[in-house]
Amino acid sequence: MEGVIRCSANYVPLTPISFLERSAIVYRDRASVVYGNLQYTWNQTLQRCKRLASALAHLGISPGDVVAVLAPNIPALYELHFGVPMSGAILCTLNVRHDSAMVSVLLRHSEAKIFFVDHQFLQVAQEAIDILSKEGSKPPLLVFIPECDQPSPYISSISSISSSICTPGNFEYECLISKGNTDFEVRRPKDEWDPISLNYTSGTTSSPKGVIYSHRGAYLNSLAGVLLNEMGSMPVYLWCVPMFHCNGWCLPWAIAAQGGTNVCQRSVTAKGIFDSIAQHKVTHFGGAPTVLNMIINAPVSERRPLPGKVSVMTGAAPPPPQVLYKMEELGFSVTHSYGLTETYGPGTICTWKPEWDSLPREAQAKIKARQGVQHLGIEELDVKDPVTLKSVPADAKTMGEVMFRGNTVMNGYLKNVKATQEAFNGGWFRSGDLGVKHPDGYVELKDRSKDIIISGGENISTIEVESVLFSHPAVLEAAVVARTDDHWGETPCAFVKLKDGCNASAEEIISFCRSRLPRYMAPRTVVFEDLPKTNTGKVQKYVLREKAKSMGSLAKNNISKL
Amino acid sequence: MEGVIRCSANYVPLTPISFLERSAIVYRDRASVVYGNLQYTWNQTLQRCKRLASALAHLGISPGDVVAVLAPNIPALYELHFGVPMSGAILCTLNVRHDSAMVSVLLRHSEAKIFFVDHQFLQVAQEAIDILSKEGSKPPLLVFIPECDQPSPYISSISSISSSICTPGNFEYECLISKGNTDFEVRRPKDEWDPISLNYTSGTTSSPKGVIYSHRGAYLNSLAGVLLNEMGSMPVYLWCVPMFHCNGWCLPWAIAAQGGTNVCQRSVTAKGIFDSIAQHKVTHFGGAPTVLNMIINAPVSERRPLPGKVSVMTGAAPPPPQVLYKMEELGFSVTHSYGLTETYGPGTICTWKPEWDSLPREAQAKIKARQGVQHLGIEELDVKDPVTLKSVPADAKTMGEVMFRGNTVMNGYLKNVKATQEAFNGGWFRSGDLGVKHPDGYVELKDRSKDIIISGGENISTIEVESVLFSHPAVLEAAVVARTDDHWGETPCAFVKLKDGCNASAEEIISFCRSRLPRYMAPRTVVFEDLPKTNTGKVQKYVLREKAKSMGSLAKNNISKL
């Protein structure tokens, strides 16, 4: 079109780096990061991230290199979300629950050049590096992150750094920052499609996949995140969702976009959550249903009144209606979002409609447990026949595979074109989750395709059975998997953890379920024990499936006994 | 990077069309557009816009064609913001204040193929078409938009359309929609950089420039608009800003993104604003300072109590602190934004900081009158020396030209590469506005470069003089321009409109200014009269400059007399 010119005045590749640079102007003196007695402003955070990027460049990091991290939700992990991309590199956050063998696998696969390690996980990291060395692989350079919940001596007086802790080969996080240069010219992506981070999907499979996020997708999912959390400017965000999980649902970048305050914490406890909310006037936090479960079951002595409206985003696993209901009773405003690592974390939002306010609270919780509709970053969400790609009818009954299309779907799996092709087969991202579409267009998950139980030819949604188990007053946690059955093929097997001081027999639990579900859906076996979980709060169903398998088949005589 | 695949699953060109398609699912039964007794839902709006796009395609519109409109803030103009881009065409909204000669110039320059005309402006449009015909240019096809503040007969019963009003060559808006097809395959942009609209800058120059907006820029400025207005989901937006002006600051698209309700009105009056707010529980509206002035000067009989928080975005001209202060007194929450047609409307936001809440209200209004900082869509905002491009010091004193860089800066001026090159010279968009930067990074306008008065070598900001004039209790409106002066070169000449029933002499006004400004800044001439304004509320200073010129030079004896 005549008259059009594309240049630096009107075209800038989208990147979350812009959020930080803007907030360092607009919100320069407002608290960016809080951790114990440590507090930074947005201007300080920009300066620190620039120093970090400069130090990485000085250590030889080039655009496209991978920088790995093993750390909980501490300020350093927040800063790495900007500092690493500002050096042109790709941030690879590792799950702190991994053992050294898994960490070595991921370091090798990602070819990480530098590895930031929080002091708490130093041993695992060292062992992983030893494994790589023994194999003859070149291990990454390790940078040690000491505990730092006090203002660093380097902040007030950079010239006073003892050179002894900055000697070559002995890298320490604050020391690296102190040596960095705030005049560093930030290496912005040449193309917004360039990768910003690498997220290995949590260890539910033996060969983890490295999901690649782009600057464009991260930028757009951050803005979608602001909107789906109904965040105004300057929110106070409490970090319960691990930043190493889907880059904390992209919220490290989103909070920078809005000039908010990041309240960091090393570990997640009910007491810590209530205390932080009261002390910092937290406005928003997020967490898997297990975190909500922790909150509603906190002893009264640990609870504190909420200082104002506290919005909670839950996701990562379908929240049992009972849990949602009890959170609301405590005064929290809970919204439910759903997504996968491949969709940058949240991809849907169960948008709440005012007309639902007048429904009974239990009915409200049931509506809220639905996964909902696509958020603004996702172009299309649908439930489809995985073979024909035909949309299922919006009848709340017909199951299909949940699929996504949009700019906040990953670039692909690192070094695995085949897996990428399979995931995008037909031009849609196939989630592997089974669900239905309600007449109002809202999607509801019924199961992971691999979790579904097929009993006598009938599909049983383990989520539905778990939801009934959660409504039993003595049940703290529950998970249902398939157990082989001579007659039915498979039958539901429930793993249950009871609340402290509560008692219930397997027979009681089973008859409770039978009175609330079609008979074939009720568990035939109940096992009482602690549930194995990933650090992101997901129950490790593959562990439970192995257990159920080791129990052997449920013979006919057992059935008749029950 | 190995493993990456770019396909329809993970890449979609950004376009506001996505907002409407999503809201038709998420907010399907919520009110999208309200006008008199007419009300549509988001699902209906999508269906109507698809029909419109289909009808345009049927009339021969191809991607890249221009479709022009001459209409006030009625539902049809809202629908055209989606329907035209969905046909692949470019929407060109014309200012309803233009005369037929100007309209004919713009139709010829834009080469519009179809021209939608509201009944109120039919005569101007017909005359413009006659001019084109006489010149031998091919005029666009005219589509007549009748008054439609009642549900259309076509909505309930499409089959009952009288064919007589749908005959070829006799096009009527509702008839066109009724003939459209909801199965139409929406023509999305192939490239998000493709143009979505064409906005002629308001008639302050004799040769208007056609500013080209892209789908990408419109998408990003819509999201920035949601955030800078602190809009949650489902806002109720009252249309005072003309949608033909910078596409209503991109808010037609932004309101669709948030599933809000658009309250349309043909004309803007204080009574209409108060009534609509009360009736529809309006949460947000926007308007130039002249609209705010209208509100604060409304007779008590026309005022109605606000039903809740009402956020008002003002812009288009620097708001006098007195006006802001009085709006707040009435209970409105006012935010100030600044931008130009070339920045898709708003480019900055005077972000409010909680620490300012405790300042005296007059001090607050002064802070709020600053243009502020870049919003999320703009990458960089700066005040620079127009020759060296060096940033001015942030001292609140040194003047420079306000410049922008970012994705929400226009693609360029249609058919005017030279003007585009000049505007982007040095890789920044040059606003032509003069301003200073405060130590906190906030920008404040001092004047348009062509409005500044140079008196005895001193720069006089007409905005500062006007701000003092506005604080005079008898002054309703004021504008200051240069008057030639034998001795000083130029001196300030004030045009003032007094409030009804108020009196003040020129001498009183001048001495009021002298007691509040350096002597050289106070007006030497005061003329009492109605101020000529554009429909966007901007005072037409070029008209006043002509008047001041016709008064001749202010001779020395006049000065001494004053």
Side-chain angles (χ1 to χ4, degrees), chain A residues 398-424:
Chain A
T398 314
M399 264 207 255
E401 186 173 355
V402 178
M403 300 193 190
F404 295 87
R405 275 185 60 230
N407 290 304
T408 57
V409 169
M410 65 166 182
N411 285 16
Y413 297 112
L414 180 65
K415 300 179 188 170
N416 199 340
V417 175
K418 194 169 158 281
T420 309
Q421 278 168 339
E422 281 167 15
F424 293 163

mmCIF file of all heavy atoms in Angstrom, chain A residues 398-424:
data_model
loop_
_atom_site.group_PDB
_atom_site.id
_atom_site.type_symbol
_atom_site.label_atom_id
_atom_site.label_comp_id
_atom_site.label_asym_id
_atom_site.label_seq_id
_atom_site.Cartn_x
_atom_site.Cartn_y
_atom_site.Cartn_z
ATOM 1 N N THR A 398 -21.427 -35.795 24.909
ATOM 2 C CA THR A 398 -20.532 -36.447 23.964
ATOM 3 C C THR A 398 -19.082 -36.062 24.231
ATOM 4 O O THR A 398 -18.729 -34.891 24.236
ATOM 5 C CB THR A 398 -20.904 -36.044 22.518
ATOM 6 O OG1 THR A 398 -22.314 -36.136 22.371
ATOM 7 C CG2 THR A 398 -20.208 -36.948 21.513
ATOM 8 N N MET A 399 -18.271 -37.063 24.495
ATOM 9 C CA MET A 399 -16.875 -36.779 24.808
ATOM 10 C C MET A 399 -16.040 -36.674 23.543
ATOM 11 O O MET A 399 -16.305 -37.328 22.539
ATOM 12 C CB MET A 399 -16.312 -37.892 25.685
ATOM 13 C CG MET A 399 -16.381 -37.537 27.160
ATOM 14 S SD MET A 399 -15.112 -38.378 28.077
ATOM 15 C CE MET A 399 -16.094 -39.614 28.883
ATOM 16 N N GLY A 400 -15.015 -35.872 23.609
ATOM 17 C CA GLY A 400 -14.059 -35.731 22.524
ATOM 18 C C GLY A 400 -12.752 -35.218 23.107
ATOM 19 O O GLY A 400 -12.636 -35.050 24.327
ATOM 20 N N GLU A 401 -11.789 -34.966 22.231
ATOM 21 C CA GLU A 401 -10.506 -34.463 22.715
ATOM 22 C C GLU A 401 -10.521 -32.933 22.702
ATOM 23 O O GLU A 401 -10.962 -32.311 21.732
ATOM 24 C CB GLU A 401 -9.366 -34.983 21.828
ATOM 25 C CG GLU A 401 -7.995 -34.603 22.373
ATOM 26 C CD GLU A 401 -6.839 -35.247 21.609
ATOM 27 O OE1 GLU A 401 -7.102 -36.071 20.709
ATOM 28 O OE2 GLU A 401 -5.680 -34.906 21.922
ATOM 29 N N VAL A 402 -10.037 -32.360 23.787
ATOM 30 C CA VAL A 402 -9.961 -30.904 23.872
ATOM 31 C C VAL A 402 -8.787 -30.439 23.008
ATOM 32 O O VAL A 402 -7.686 -30.964 23.118
ATOM 33 C CB VAL A 402 -9.768 -30.455 25.329
ATOM 34 C CG1 VAL A 402 -9.648 -28.939 25.408
ATOM 35 C CG2 VAL A 402 -10.932 -30.940 26.187
ATOM 36 N N MET A 403 -9.056 -29.465 22.118
ATOM 37 C CA MET A 403 -8.018 -28.979 21.203
ATOM 38 C C MET A 403 -7.963 -27.456 21.207
ATOM 39 O O MET A 403 -8.963 -26.793 21.447
ATOM 40 C CB MET A 403 -8.291 -29.488 19.787
ATOM 41 C CG MET A 403 -8.319 -31.006 19.690
ATOM 42 S SD MET A 403 -8.269 -31.580 17.984
ATOM 43 C CE MET A 403 -8.633 -33.340 18.248
ATOM 44 N N PHE A 404 -6.770 -26.940 20.940
ATOM 45 C CA PHE A 404 -6.512 -25.488 20.953
ATOM 46 C C PHE A 404 -5.880 -25.033 19.643
ATOM 47 O O PHE A 404 -5.156 -25.794 19.003
ATOM 48 C CB PHE A 404 -5.497 -25.143 22.056
ATOM 49 C CG PHE A 404 -5.935 -25.385 23.460
ATOM 50 C CD1 PHE A 404 -5.763 -26.624 24.068
ATOM 51 C CD2 PHE A 404 -6.486 -24.355 24.210
ATOM 52 C CE1 PHE A 404 -6.132 -26.835 25.385
ATOM 53 C CE2 PHE A 404 -6.853 -24.552 25.536
ATOM 54 C CZ PHE A 404 -6.674 -25.797 26.119
ATOM 55 N N ARG A 405 -6.114 -23.777 19.299
ATOM 56 C CA ARG A 405 -5.409 -23.093 18.225
ATOM 57 C C ARG A 405 -5.163 -21.678 18.689
ATOM 58 O O ARG A 405 -6.073 -21.047 19.232
ATOM 59 C CB ARG A 405 -6.296 -22.961 16.984
ATOM 60 C CG ARG A 405 -6.349 -24.108 16.038
ATOM 61 C CD ARG A 405 -7.194 -23.683 14.830
ATOM 62 N NE ARG A 405 -6.562 -22.530 14.205
ATOM 63 C CZ ARG A 405 -7.186 -21.395 13.886
ATOM 64 N NH1 ARG A 405 -8.476 -21.241 14.106
ATOM 65 N NH2 ARG A 405 -6.530 -20.401 13.329
ATOM 66 N N GLY A 406 -3.964 -21.152 18.439
ATOM 67 C CA GLY A 406 -3.747 -19.747 18.778
ATOM 68 C C GLY A 406 -2.302 -19.400 19.019
ATOM 69 O O GLY A 406 -1.429 -20.274 19.022
ATOM 70 N N ASN A 407 -2.077 -18.105 19.240
ATOM 71 C CA ASN A 407 -0.706 -17.610 19.380
ATOM 72 C C ASN A 407 -0.044 -18.000 20.686
ATOM 73 O O ASN A 407 1.151 -17.808 20.844
ATOM 74 C CB ASN A 407 -0.703 -16.084 19.240
ATOM 75 C CG ASN A 407 -1.010 -15.648 17.831
ATOM 76 O OD1 ASN A 407 -0.322 -16.065 16.906
ATOM 77 N ND2 ASN A 407 -2.041 -14.834 17.660
ATOM 78 N N THR A 408 -0.828 -18.515 21.629
ATOM 79 C CA THR A 408 -0.233 -18.925 22.899
ATOM 80 C C THR A 408 -0.173 -20.445 22.983
ATOM 81 O O THR A 408 -0.276 -21.033 24.062
ATOM 82 C CB THR A 408 -0.988 -18.312 24.094
ATOM 83 O OG1 THR A 408 -2.356 -18.703 24.016
ATOM 84 C CG2 THR A 408 -0.912 -16.802 24.055
ATOM 85 N N VAL A 409 0.021 -21.055 21.830
ATOM 86 C CA VAL A 409 0.364 -22.481 21.765
ATOM 87 C C VAL A 409 1.855 -22.545 21.415
ATOM 88 O O VAL A 409 2.341 -21.752 20.606
ATOM 89 C CB VAL A 409 -0.506 -23.207 20.707
ATOM 90 C CG1 VAL A 409 0.021 -24.615 20.437
ATOM 91 C CG2 VAL A 409 -1.962 -23.253 21.147
ATOM 92 N N MET A 410 2.569 -23.452 22.051
ATOM 93 C CA MET A 410 4.034 -23.591 21.899
ATOM 94 C C MET A 410 4.515 -23.583 20.449
ATOM 95 O O MET A 410 3.787 -23.927 19.530
ATOM 96 C CB MET A 410 4.477 -24.901 22.528
ATOM 97 C CG MET A 410 3.911 -26.123 21.800
ATOM 98 S SD MET A 410 4.740 -27.659 22.286
ATOM 99 C CE MET A 410 3.866 -28.836 21.211
ATOM 100 N N ASN A 411 5.811 -23.268 20.289
ATOM 101 C CA ASN A 411 6.459 -23.388 18.972
ATOM 102 C C ASN A 411 6.664 -24.854 18.590
ATOM 103 O O ASN A 411 6.701 -25.180 17.411
ATOM 104 C CB ASN A 411 7.837 -22.723 18.988
ATOM 105 C CG ASN A 411 7.754 -21.204 18.961
ATOM 106 O OD1 ASN A 411 6.693 -20.639 19.224
ATOM 107 N ND2 ASN A 411 8.853 -20.554 18.650
ATOM 108 N N GLY A 412 6.841 -25.702 19.585
ATOM 109 C CA GLY A 412 7.085 -27.118 19.323
ATOM 110 C C GLY A 412 7.919 -27.738 20.436
ATOM 111 O O GLY A 412 8.222 -27.074 21.432
ATOM 112 N N TYR A 413 8.241 -29.033 20.259
ATOM 113 C CA TYR A 413 9.069 -29.744 21.240
ATOM 114 C C TYR A 413 10.519 -29.739 20.752
ATOM 115 O O TYR A 413 10.795 -30.162 19.616
ATOM 116 C CB TYR A 413 8.604 -31.191 21.395
ATOM 117 C CG TYR A 413 7.202 -31.348 21.924
ATOM 118 C CD1 TYR A 413 6.179 -31.848 21.118
ATOM 119 C CD2 TYR A 413 6.899 -31.012 23.242
ATOM 120 C CE1 TYR A 413 4.892 -32.008 21.606
ATOM 121 C CE2 TYR A 413 5.605 -31.169 23.734
ATOM 122 C CZ TYR A 413 4.603 -31.670 22.909
ATOM 123 O OH TYR A 413 3.337 -31.827 23.395
ATOM 124 N N LEU A 414 11.422 -29.314 21.600
ATOM 125 C CA LEU A 414 12.835 -29.214 21.235
ATOM 126 C C LEU A 414 13.378 -30.547 20.731
ATOM 127 O O LEU A 414 13.247 -31.569 21.411
ATOM 128 C CB LEU A 414 13.649 -28.748 22.455
ATOM 129 C CG LEU A 414 15.155 -28.584 22.229
ATOM 130 C CD1 LEU A 414 15.443 -27.461 21.237
ATOM 131 C CD2 LEU A 414 15.870 -28.328 23.546
ATOM 132 N N LYS A 415 13.973 -30.515 19.557
ATOM 133 C CA LYS A 415 14.643 -31.678 18.950
ATOM 134 C C LYS A 415 13.707 -32.868 18.775
ATOM 135 O O LYS A 415 14.163 -34.014 18.865
ATOM 136 C CB LYS A 415 15.834 -32.139 19.814
ATOM 137 C CG LYS A 415 16.915 -31.093 20.015
ATOM 138 C CD LYS A 415 17.999 -31.678 20.894
ATOM 139 C CE LYS A 415 19.011 -30.632 21.295
ATOM 140 N NZ LYS A 415 19.928 -31.134 22.319
ATOM 141 N N ASN A 416 12.429 -32.594 18.610
ATOM 142 C CA ASN A 416 11.492 -33.703 18.461
ATOM 143 C C ASN A 416 10.389 -33.313 17.467
ATOM 144 O O ASN A 416 9.230 -33.100 17.839
ATOM 145 C CB ASN A 416 10.903 -34.098 19.823
ATOM 146 C CG ASN A 416 10.307 -35.488 19.792
ATOM 147 O OD1 ASN A 416 9.987 -36.010 18.711
ATOM 148 N ND2 ASN A 416 10.134 -36.083 20.953
ATOM 149 N N VAL A 417 10.768 -33.215 16.216
ATOM 150 C CA VAL A 417 9.817 -32.807 15.175
ATOM 151 C C VAL A 417 8.645 -33.773 15.110
ATOM 152 O O VAL A 417 7.498 -33.363 14.930
ATOM 153 C CB VAL A 417 10.519 -32.740 13.790
ATOM 154 C CG1 VAL A 417 9.514 -32.443 12.691
ATOM 155 C CG2 VAL A 417 11.602 -31.682 13.790
ATOM 156 N N LYS A 418 8.941 -35.043 15.329
ATOM 157 C CA LYS A 418 7.878 -36.040 15.222
ATOM 158 C C LYS A 418 6.785 -35.776 16.270
ATOM 159 O O LYS A 418 5.589 -35.768 15.948
ATOM 160 C CB LYS A 418 8.469 -37.441 15.413
ATOM 161 C CG LYS A 418 7.528 -38.549 14.986
ATOM 162 C CD LYS A 418 8.242 -39.894 14.931
ATOM 163 C CE LYS A 418 7.232 -41.026 15.044
ATOM 164 N NZ LYS A 418 6.784 -41.255 16.442
ATOM 165 N N ALA A 419 7.215 -35.533 17.489
ATOM 166 C CA ALA A 419 6.237 -35.253 18.550
ATOM 167 C C ALA A 419 5.480 -33.958 18.254
ATOM 168 O O ALA A 419 4.275 -33.864 18.502
ATOM 169 C CB ALA A 419 6.950 -35.155 19.901
ATOM 170 N N THR A 420 6.190 -32.959 17.713
ATOM 171 C CA THR A 420 5.525 -31.696 17.363
ATOM 172 C C THR A 420 4.466 -31.940 16.290
ATOM 173 O O THR A 420 3.334 -31.453 16.400
ATOM 174 C CB THR A 420 6.558 -30.655 16.860
ATOM 175 O OG1 THR A 420 7.627 -30.553 17.808
ATOM 176 C CG2 THR A 420 5.915 -29.296 16.672
ATOM 177 N N GLN A 421 4.856 -32.703 15.274
ATOM 178 C CA GLN A 421 3.906 -32.996 14.190
ATOM 179 C C GLN A 421 2.667 -33.708 14.718
ATOM 180 O O GLN A 421 1.539 -33.384 14.349
ATOM 181 C CB GLN A 421 4.580 -33.871 13.129
ATOM 182 C CG GLN A 421 5.428 -33.080 12.160
ATOM 183 C CD GLN A 421 6.315 -33.946 11.296
ATOM 184 O OE1 GLN A 421 6.595 -35.098 11.664
ATOM 185 N NE2 GLN A 421 6.764 -33.397 10.183
ATOM 186 N N GLU A 422 2.886 -34.663 15.615
ATOM 187 C CA GLU A 422 1.739 -35.394 16.175
ATOM 188 C C GLU A 422 0.844 -34.452 16.979
ATOM 189 O O GLU A 422 -0.375 -34.516 16.894
ATOM 190 C CB GLU A 422 2.228 -36.535 17.072
ATOM 191 C CG GLU A 422 2.671 -37.758 16.279
ATOM 192 C CD GLU A 422 3.443 -38.757 17.138
ATOM 193 O OE1 GLU A 422 3.396 -38.642 18.378
ATOM 194 O OE2 GLU A 422 4.094 -39.642 16.556
ATOM 195 N N ALA A 423 1.483 -33.578 17.744
ATOM 196 C CA ALA A 423 0.703 -32.670 18.597
ATOM 197 C C ALA A 423 -0.130 -31.704 17.759
ATOM 198 O O ALA A 423 -1.207 -31.296 18.185
ATOM 199 C CB ALA A 423 1.635 -31.898 19.520
ATOM 200 N N PHE A 424 0.403 -31.322 16.593
ATOM 201 C CA PHE A 424 -0.285 -30.326 15.743
ATOM 202 C C PHE A 424 -1.007 -30.982 14.564
ATOM 203 O O PHE A 424 -1.458 -30.265 13.652
ATOM 204 C CB PHE A 424 0.729 -29.310 15.189
ATOM 205 C CG PHE A 424 1.347 -28.406 16.228
ATOM 206 C CD1 PHE A 424 2.512 -27.700 15.947
ATOM 207 C CD2 PHE A 424 0.769 -28.239 17.486
ATOM 208 C CE1 PHE A 424 3.087 -26.856 16.887
ATOM 209 C CE2 PHE A 424 1.344 -27.403 18.438
ATOM 210 C CZ PHE A 424 2.510 -26.710 18.135
#
